[in-house]
């Protein structure tokens, strides 16, 4: 997509040559003013494409669904969508289905849907992002009961990605608070990736200091002093760490860290598994306000149901996500080693409580974050 900044033509009063010259100059101006698409452009385009294409979809027997998802889920859905399409079309003779994707920071994506992005389904990385859409009347109150495992098809966990041979000898959360360690982290105020990372550090502190809040806050404050910039999303943080070669350690999801090791930074980075870390749940839901309008509720339900199929659960494991199917998880212990994890809700309460206490303006995160850290000012390129 290209966005062009149009300028008003000046009045041309004399010769045809002058008209042609003006048009030529306008063409140069348009070319010079074009810009790369931003996340918002792509989200808007996705929403428009989904709405426009489905206007005549029933005449052709075709269905189009838009899945609005979090930043680092793109690798999973890139492979999942063809699996689902093949299965769906085999079971529904004469029907075709096309899946469109939109990716970004989880909470930004939820806000985009709340503000009108026409998602048929959402696949987020924390429950609060779905609850926001419930409060807006876009997702059903009983969304968690519509699918197994409270609508969580797979989970991840927060781990560390370090440089080859681990030069700073980072082995656990406590090492992240040492002077001279530079941490790359997504923004906890706007991304699930960053929130899980912050809560992982905080939960480790409570675990290590026998629930002592004062000692935990001191520990986390020292850790956050080592974060120079909070990135806009999990993939943006990975790009900063691998391509820009900034930082000693990237704190991110297990699946993202493994993909970095296997694909993006092979031979240059390695994973460190903390002794005690947070489990990251990845809930899904139907955006009923949209599917009712478009007539895509059955297809959207089938799309999310298939996440619990054996092929989809194995795909999750292949991409280093932890399947909710215990049998599939057990078969993949070589990829997904046993971890000692804690649930954010068990440790900190509901997501409403978590967001209010830790991430609202002036909350615990703001109190502990270093004033010298900055927020990345532009969305990651898609």
């Amino acid at each position: 997509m290209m966005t062009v900044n149009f300028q008003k033509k000046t009045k041309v009063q004399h010769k045809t040559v002058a008209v042609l010259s003006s048009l030529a100059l306008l063409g140069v101006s348009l070319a010079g003013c074009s810009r790369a698409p931003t996340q918002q452009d792509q989200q808007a385009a996705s929403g428009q494409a989904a709405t426009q294409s489905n206007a005549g979809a029933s005449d052709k027997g075709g269905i189009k669904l838009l899945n609005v998802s979090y930043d680092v889920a793109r690798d999973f859905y890139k492979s999942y969508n063809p699996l689902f399409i093949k299965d769906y079309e085999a079971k529904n003779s004469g029907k075709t289905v096309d899946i469109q994707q939109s990716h970004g920071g989880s909470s930004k994506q939820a806000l985009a849907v709340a503000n009108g992005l026409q998602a048929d389904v959402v696949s987020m990385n924390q429950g609060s992002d779905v609850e926001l859409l419930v409060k807006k009347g876009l997702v059903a109150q009983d969304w968690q009961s519509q699918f197994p495992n409270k609508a969580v098809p797979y989970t991840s966990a927060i781990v560390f990605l370090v440089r080859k041979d681990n030069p700073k000898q980072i082995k656990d959360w406590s090492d992240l608070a040492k002077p001279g360690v530079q941490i790359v982290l997504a923004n906890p105020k706007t991304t699930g990736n960053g929130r899980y990372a912050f809560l992982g550090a905080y939960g480790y502190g409570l675990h290590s200091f026998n629930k002592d809040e004062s000692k935990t806050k001191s520990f986390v404050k020292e850790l956050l002093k080592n974060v120079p910039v909070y990135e806009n999303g999990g993939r943006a943080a990975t790009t900063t760490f691998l391509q820009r070669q900034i930082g000693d350690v990237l704190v991110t999801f297990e699946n993202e860290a493994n993909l970095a090791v296997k694909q993006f930074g092979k031979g240059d980075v390695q994973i460190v598994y903390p002794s005690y870390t947070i489990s990251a749940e990845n809930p899904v839901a139907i955006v009923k306000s949209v599917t009712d309008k478009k007539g895509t509720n059955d297809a959207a339900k089938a799309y999310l149901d298939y996440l619990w199929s054996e092929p989809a659960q194995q795909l999750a494991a292949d991409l280093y996500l932890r399947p909710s199917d215990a049998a599939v998880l057990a078969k993949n212990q070589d990829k997904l080693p046993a971890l000692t994890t804690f649930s954010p809700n068990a440790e900190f309460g509901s997501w409403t409580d978590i967001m209010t206490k830790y991430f609202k303006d002036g909350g615990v995160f703001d109190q502990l974050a270093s004033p010298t850290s900055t927020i990345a000012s532009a969305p990651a390129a898609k």
Side-chain angles (χ1 to χ4, degrees):
M1 181 186 70
M2 179 176 288
T3 303
V4 179
N5 296 324
F6 289 94
Q7 299 175 343
K8 292 182 179 180
K9 291 191 296 182
T10 57
K11 291 183 179 180
V12 180
Q13 296 178 339
H14 296 295
K15 298 180 181 180
T16 302
V17 174
V19 175
L20 294 174
S21 297
S22 297
L23 291 174
L25 288 172
L26 179 60
V28 171
S29 175
L30 294 180
C33 290
S34 66
R35 59 176 173 82
T38 65
Q39 176 178 321
Q40 287 76 12
D41 294 330
Q42 291 181 323
Q43 287 174 338
S46 295
Q48 290 170 358
T51 303
Q52 293 169 356
S53 298
N54 275 281
S58 59
D59 296 334
K60 300 177 182 179
I63 299 168
K64 292 201 174 187
L65 301 176
L66 174 61
N67 176 14
V68 173
S69 191
Y70 62 100
D71 202 21
V72 301
R74 69 188 72 225
D75 302 288
F76 174 78
Y77 285 104
K78 181 180 178 181
S79 298
Y80 172 77
N81 289 342
L83 280 179
F84 166 73
I85 290 169
K86 182 179 179 180
D87 180 79
Y88 183 86
E89 293 181 354
K91 293 176 180 175
N92 296 271
S93 180
K95 289 187 178 180
T96 61
V97 61
D98 177 54
I99 314 298
Q100 296 175 333
Q101 289 291 138
S102 175
H103 293 280
S106 185
S107 294
K108 287 183 178 179
Q109 293 290 78
L111 284 171
V113 175
N115 291 329
L117 181 59
Q118 297 293 289
D120 297 86
V121 300
V122 290
S123 47
M124 299 304 188
N125 64 16
Q126 65 178 65
S128 64
D129 293 327
V130 182
E131 288 297 333
L132 169 69
L133 304 180
V134 173
K135 291 175 183 176
K136 293 286 186 178
L138 306 179
V139 169
Q141 291 278 349
D142 65 345
W143 65 277
Q144 286 185 308
S145 66
Q146 293 178 6
F147 301 97
N149 197 36
K150 294 185 177 179
V152 176
Y154 52 78
T155 63
S156 190
I158 290 293
V159 300
F160 310 147
L161 194 66
V162 300
R163 305 291 177 192
K164 183 180 178 180
D165 299 325
N166 196 2
K168 293 295 178 77
Q169 291 300 295
I170 294 165
K171 298 178 181 178
D172 214 338
W173 289 99
S174 56
D175 297 315
L176 302 189
K178 293 179 178 177
V181 174
Q182 192 176 59
I183 303 168
V184 177
L185 197 68
N187 183 4
K189 295 294 288 285
T190 58
T191 71
N193 188 303
R195 286 188 196 120
Y196 278 113
F198 174 84
L199 294 173
Y202 206 96
Y204 173 84
L206 291 174
H207 178 72
S208 299
F209 302 120
N210 196 28
K211 303 293 184 181
D212 188 313
E213 287 276 356
S214 178
K215 289 181 179 179
T216 296
K217 287 182 177 179
S218 294
F219 160 69
V220 175
K221 188 170 185 175
E222 289 302 309
L223 186 152
L224 295 180
K225 284 181 181 178
N226 290 336
V227 182
V229 178
Y230 294 101
E231 286 294 347
N232 288 281
R235 184 53 56 85
T238 301
T239 299
T240 293
F241 186 70
L242 293 180
Q243 295 184 10
R244 297 173 62 194
Q245 290 291 301
I246 292 175
D248 302 301
V249 55
L250 170 68
V251 183
T252 192
F253 293 132
E254 180 182 20
N255 58 303
E256 178 75 351
N258 272 284
L259 289 173
V261 169
K262 305 295 182 184
Q263 298 179 15
F264 311 134
K266 192 171 183 178
D268 297 326
V269 291
Q270 62 193 67
I271 297 173
V272 172
Y273 291 91
S275 63
Y276 184 75
T277 194
I278 192 167
S279 176
E281 296 181 345
N282 301 272
V284 299
I286 296 169
V287 185
K288 197 169 184 299
S289 63
V290 174
T291 60
D292 282 350
K293 179 173 62 179
K294 290 171 54 180
T296 54
N297 189 69
D298 289 346
K301 180 71 163 57
Y303 178 71
L304 295 184
D305 276 336
Y306 194 69
L307 288 166
W308 280 267
S309 68
E310 195 281 334
Q313 290 283 291
Q314 183 56 51
L315 173 64
D318 290 341
L319 294 175
Y320 304 95
L321 294 160
R322 294 179 175 256
S324 63
D325 186 319
V328 177
L329 178 60
K331 288 192 302 184
N332 290 274
Q333 287 297 309
D334 58 326
K335 300 188 193 76
L336 301 164
L339 284 174
T340 302
T341 62
F342 66 90
S343 161
N345 300 128
E347 184 66 59
F348 302 109
S350 70
W351 274 109
T352 298
D353 292 338
I354 292 170
M355 296 300 291
T356 300
K357 179 177 179 178
Y358 293 95
F359 303 114
K360 73 174 183 179
D361 288 346
V364 174
F365 171 73
D366 282 349
Q367 295 167 23
L368 301 180
S370 171
T372 61
S373 300
T374 59
I375 305 297
S377 59
K382 290 290 183 284

